Amino acid sequence: MAEEMNKFSRELRDDDHFHDECGVIGIYSPGDTGIARDIYFGLHSLQHRGQESAGIAVNRYGNIDYHRGMGLVQEVFSDDRIRTMQGDIAIGHVRYSTTGASLACNAQPLVVFFKGGAIALGHNGNLVNANILRDELQDEGYLFQTTIDTEVLAAYIARNIKDGDIEGAIAKTMKIAQGAYALVITSGEKLIGVRDPLGLRPLVLGKTKNGYVLSSETCNFNLLGAEKVRDIDPGEIITIENGEISSMKFDFGETRKTCSFEYVYFARPDSVMDGRSIYLARHECGKNLAKEQPAEADVVIAVPDSGNVAAMGYAEQSGIPFGIGLIKNRYVGRTFIQPDQKMRDISVRLKLNVLKENVEGKRVVMVDDSIVRGTTSGQIVRLLKDAGAKEVHLRVACPPVTDPCFFGIDTPEKKQLMAAKYSVEEMRGMIGADSLGFLSVDGMKDAIGLGRDNVCTACFTGDYPMELPERKDK
Ligand code: AMP
Ligand code: SF4
């Protein structure tokens, strides 16, 4: 089994990733001299959605000033630069891209010019037909400056604007752009939000004292003094102009497919998405996991921080006491996390240490949110055993990840996904756990609570909610 694990490990390489994870925010607040500062704080709260680049664009009477760079939000902006960014409307973006696409020119928001002015655009998600659309534009002579899907969208929108009708141009573009997207756009005197026809990527509207905010998540609303108004509907374009909200639908499809992985791992637990608290959904995942995959044990521990909430749910349901078994070093810099397997293995020990007092001589249930490549879990089980844990029962608060995401969550290719290659029993052996249990697809759907048909579960089932014309892993 160890040999098999080594072989599998060697096949895992970060540079095969090809998807983006992002967070977006937009604020409409006329006369507010602190708008760029608020975007900065709002982005800071969305930092978990992307750590590689950050950008802000500020719109003053249709003129757009922008600043983008590689790094964390606090590394990209200085106080002085934020102070110079003045306007009535602003948008911001954080991005985690993968090695191949890690270029400064790909940072967002993107700013493009058309006959009647400028548009700034921030995009979270992934188009599944971007290359087809890009080829079409290139055949017509368009010269692309970046390698991101967002520029394809921006170019089509700019080309489609007739008589200043931006929403019409967006609607026309969205009819041919397939995939997942939450967009924040500013142009003229408007702040515009757009959500894809299935609502795969999140976007929510809040009301502030002075205006409105659009954000990927609600976790920044308290900080911004915003009250949640509502989630943007799938297939909706929402416009804020002159302090008024207007809305149009470019797609009237009945299906909604919110991303289940947002609830399992990606979003912050203090966000509410499509009306459902991420915290409560995760807690319920843990409870359902305890019902479906019980274990005889003395203590339930979490893999921090991603497994914390589910572990508490597991403990509550099972009656086994919750304990802290692993301490996380929160200051492990990104420099440590080099994209090769050897560094990844070392980085687990840099990041986590066992609290011996809670695991020595005990039968431990270890709850994690998900297993993707399976390398982290094996390392942690070894740490626990080395510290004297008698048994380690690994419980995973989502189903096995068997298929890649094509809609904006950075999962590796299929060949790198442990559950795509191995059975649960084989995985158990490779990880070195005494038992291994996953939450079922229905158990997860019920915990999310949006209705079994209303969530995307493609990375757990291979059942994609749309055609994939450019699928790269066939
Ligand atoms: P591994 O199985 O070694 O790939 O690690 C899985 C762990 O990585 C999970 O427990 C999550 O906490 C975290 N994780 C899951 N999905 C992602 C993702 N898309 N990007 C980064 N980390 C992730
Ligand atoms: Fe979310 Fe998975 Fe669907 Fe991607 S495939 S949108 S990660 S549920």
Side-chain angles (χ1 to χ4, degrees):
M1 272 306 172
E3 216 171 84
E4 187 68 9
M5 189 70 212
N6 286 340
K7 184 170 150 267
F8 183 56
S9 292
R10 276 196 301 274
E11 289 168 18
L12 303 177
R13 251 191 266 115
D14 258 5
D15 54 6
D16 286 331
H17 289 205
F18 46 81
H19 295 292
D20 290 350
E21 295 169 344
C22 304
V24 294
I25 180 168
I27 295 181
Y28 177 93
S29 194
D32 180 354
T33 53
I35 195 165
R37 188 207 52 206
D38 281 354
I39 289 278
Y40 173 90
F41 288 145
L43 279 183
H44 197 260
S45 301
L46 295 176
Q47 188 79 81
H48 60 286
R49 299 186 71 87
Q51 299 88 40
E52 197 163 279
S53 71
I56 296 178
V58 179
N59 177 350
R60 184 170 215 180
Y61 309 127
N63 296 315
I64 293 173
D65 178 20
Y66 61 95
H67 184 91
R68 307 178 300 217
M70 305 300 284
L72 299 173
V73 176
Q74 67 201 59
E75 294 165 345
V76 170
F77 299 97
S78 66
D79 280 0
D80 286 347
R81 183 65 181 111
I82 290 287
R83 257 193 298 275
T84 61
M85 299 187 86
Q86 293 293 329
D88 298 323
I89 307 165
I91 63 172
H93 189 270
V94 283
R95 172 164 190 259
Y96 169 82
S97 79
T98 51
T99 319
S102 166
L103 303 167
C105 69
N106 285 344
Q108 297 192 38
L110 262 190
V111 180
V112 294
F113 298 92
F114 65 104
K115 232 168 142 191
I119 310 175
L121 188 145
H123 171 209
N124 167 213
N126 204 70
L127 299 185
V128 295
N129 65 342
N131 288 342
I132 297 168
L133 298 178
R134 183 182 287 270
D135 286 350
E136 278 174 20
L137 284 174
Q138 273 171 335
D139 288 346
E140 290 173 20
Y142 188 95
L143 297 174
F144 281 91
Q145 306 194 7
T146 75
T147 60
I148 48 177
D149 300 3
T150 316
E151 193 179 3
V152 177
L153 284 177
Y156 268 97
I157 293 170
R159 197 178 72 155
N160 286 334
I161 296 175
K162 298 265 170 343
D163 303 325
D165 177 10
I166 292 196
E167 290 85 344
I170 294 171
K172 209 167 158 193
T173 304
M174 294 317 162
K175 288 213 170 8
I176 55 165
Q178 295 160 17
Y181 45 88
L183 304 175
V184 288
I185 297 172
T186 181
S187 185
E189 297 186 7
K190 295 175 177 176
L191 172 66
I192 299 171
V194 188
R195 200 167 172 197
D196 65 71
L198 295 175
L200 281 158
R201 300 270 64 87
L203 192 64
V204 60
L205 175 71
K207 173 94 189 78
T208 58
K209 208 166 102 224
N210 205 30
Y212 291 94
V213 52
L214 289 167
S215 178
S216 295
E217 294 186 35
T218 60
C219 58
N220 50 23
F221 278 15
N222 283 342
L223 179 66
L224 298 173
E227 287 288 328
K228 182 180 167 182
V229 177
R230 64 177 178 86
D231 294 274
I232 308 309
D233 279 338
E236 180 182 4
I237 300 172
I238 187 167
T239 303
I240 302 152
E241 186 181 22
N242 296 325
E244 303 284 325
I245 293 178
S246 58
S247 161
M248 69 181 276
K249 280 269 196 159
F250 62 90
D251 188 288
F252 291 92
E254 292 303 304
T255 348
R256 171 190 284 276
K257 293 283 179 191
T258 306
C259 167
S260 56
F261 212 67
E262 293 272 1
Y263 295 87
V264 164
Y265 166 76
F266 200 45
R268 250 172 58 163
D270 52 339
S271 287
V272 176
M273 196 172 280
D274 282 340
R276 176 65 164 157
S277 148
I278 301 289
Y279 171 84
L280 292 177
R282 242 168 242 178
H283 196 262
E284 199 71 18
C285 280
K287 286 172 85 172
N288 287 353
L289 180 62
K291 287 180 204 160
E292 292 180 8
Q293 301 287 344
E296 293 277 320
D298 306 307
V299 64
V300 175
I301 68 163
V303 178
D305 294 319
S306 54
N308 287 352
V309 181
M312 283 160 62
Y314 193 102
E316 186 180 307
Q317 179 66 37
S318 64
I320 304 168
F322 176 82
I324 299 206
L326 293 158
I327 302 293
K328 185 169 177 169
N329 182 341
R330 287 171 213 284
Y331 305 98
V332 176
R334 284 169 307 138
T335 42
F336 282 127
I337 306 161
Q338 298 296 326
D340 69 47
Q341 196 53 38
K342 196 162 156 238
M343 272 313 292
R344 187 194 296 284
D345 291 348
I346 294 169
S347 75
V348 172
R349 280 178 192 269
L350 287 170
K351 258 192 281 190
L352 293 171
N353 194 24
V354 180
L355 195 63
K356 212 170 177 168
E357 291 78 350
N358 273 340
V359 302
E360 193 171 24
K362 293 196 174 153
R363 298 168 302 167
V364 176
V365 172
M366 174 175 111
V367 179
D368 202 357
D369 65 290
S370 58
I371 290 183
V372 182
R373 302 176 193 77
T375 45
T376 324
S377 317
Q379 287 281 312
I380 304 171
V381 169
R382 231 165 298 146
L383 294 185
L384 293 173
K385 292 259 172 152
D386 287 351
K390 207 154 68 180
E391 294 169 11
V392 179
H393 301 278
L394 177 55
R395 295 293 178 270
V396 185
C398 73
V401 177
T402 51
D403 290 84
C405 175
F406 296 91
F407 310 125
I409 294 282
D410 175 40
T411 47
E413 282 185 70
K414 191 167 172 95
K415 67 171 194 266
Q416 299 183 315
L417 296 168
M418 194 182 216
K421 287 184 90 167
Y422 302 101
S423 68
V424 172
E425 178 49 28
E426 284 169 333
M427 291 168 79
R428 185 205 61 73
M430 290 164 76
I431 289 167
D434 293 281
S435 72
L436 170 63
F438 289 87
L439 182 61
S440 68
V441 174
D442 283 347
M444 176 183 72
K445 285 179 173 175
D446 291 347
I448 293 171
L450 298 180
R452 283 191 179 179
D453 292 335
N454 296 333
V455 282
C456 174
T457 54
C459 50
F460 307 109
T461 59
D463 184 13
Y464 292 95
M466 68 179 81
E467 288 281 314
L468 300 169
E470 295 174 4
R471 188 161 176 177
K472 299 174 190 170
D473 69 332
K474 271 183 182 162

